[in-house]
Amino acid sequence: LFLRSLFASCPFTPVPVILHWAQSVTLAPATDPAIIALLRPSTLSLHSACFAPLHEKAILSQSSSAKREHTYNRAPFTSPSDFTIMSSAAPHSNKSASSTNGEVDIKNLGHVETPKVEGTWTVEKALEISPGTAGPADAGSPLPYFHLIERLKTTKREGWRRFGIARGESIADHMYRMSLLSMLAPPALAPRLDLARCMKMCLIHDMAESLVGDITPVDGVAKPEKNRREAETMDFITKNLLGSVYGGIPGAEIREIWQEYEDSQTLNSHYVHDLDKMELLLQMMEYEKRGQGKLDLGEFAYVATKFTLPETKEWADALLKEREHFWGTQQHVHGEDGIEGGVQKDRRQQQDDYYERK
């Protein structure tokens, strides 16, 4: 009774400590069935983080002199005094965090390269070379979905990497700031928008990049092919991973909002498309300032010509003025002026193809 009260009031007390108390006050030996039942593995699993490292076993052995030694190994569960603490998922390799000698590169665990698929791209191939990305299939559980969208945090936006910014923003960084921008809809525009839906659209619109990766205008992937990959990924996420979760309702809503953004036929979607471009312009300007005039990202200013709504276009115009003030008389690329502004002809064509409306 004492131990049960102790465990209830102090659920995070390590098992070895409880067993030590049990014998030190001669309440019961460590092999007493009542104690074993109290500390059975099914109970311990609720507090696994407090007892032992993942995938290790805490084995308590008692010598004839009642001395207890605590050792950790991978021996099978053989007696009631052997307590196994396991996580729900086995560890998997991560090539992005591995060094050439096979050791884990701890400092780069926050970055995962987009899987490179040979031949025709499919969701199955992408998952096959990304072990553990979505977690094990478990109908009705949202956990595989939760695990997959972590890739939005660990996958970098590719456009900046071409200019040497290796540790730039992630896809999730981009979408999160977009959602914050959406809250500041100009007064002349806000009453006509469903701002809650717009915020969701900001957080959903690049979700497919968790598997597809960030495909940019210069990557040589035709827009129809890009659309196919992203649509198939969204079908996988919303139907395979979320189809049985809470009646499939959240998945269906995510798919619907994503498609609205892709079709770009509503005022809400036009607003979010403009926010997508505005966030890019802001990041361009911020990287240039941080580069102290040694990094010209003016190529990206092209998107300022692709705004749809006059209310958001005012933001873009104000930012371009800020950029001109920053560069002053120093020569720099004016992407908003296209080829005349210093953008290469082939690059301009790639941008036109990428941002062409359906």
Side-chain angles (χ1 to χ4, degrees), residues 209-246:
E209 294 181 9
S210 57
L211 275 183
V212 175
D214 180 27
I215 299 175
T216 71
V218 305
D219 289 333
V221 179
K223 190 164 186 178
E225 172 62 14
K226 175 180 181 291
N227 294 341
R228 180 190 71 82
R229 296 181 187 184
E230 293 179 347
E232 289 184 5
T233 298
M234 290 306 295
D235 284 341
F236 168 75
I237 292 173
T238 59
K239 297 176 182 178
N240 293 57
L241 297 187
L242 295 177
S244 299
V245 176
Y246 310 139

Side-chain angles (χ1 to χ4, degrees), residues 76-88:
F77 184 89
T78 57
S79 73
S81 61
D82 296 341
F83 299 101
T84 305
I85 314 298
M86 299 289 289
S87 72
S88 60

Side-chain angles (χ1 to χ4, degrees), residues 280-294:
L280 184 150
L281 290 174
L282 288 165
Q283 192 64 74
M284 171 197 72
M285 181 76 258
E286 289 148 4
Y287 283 150
E288 286 187 332
K289 286 182 176 179
R290 214 164 294 146
Q292 300 179 23
K294 297 179 181 179

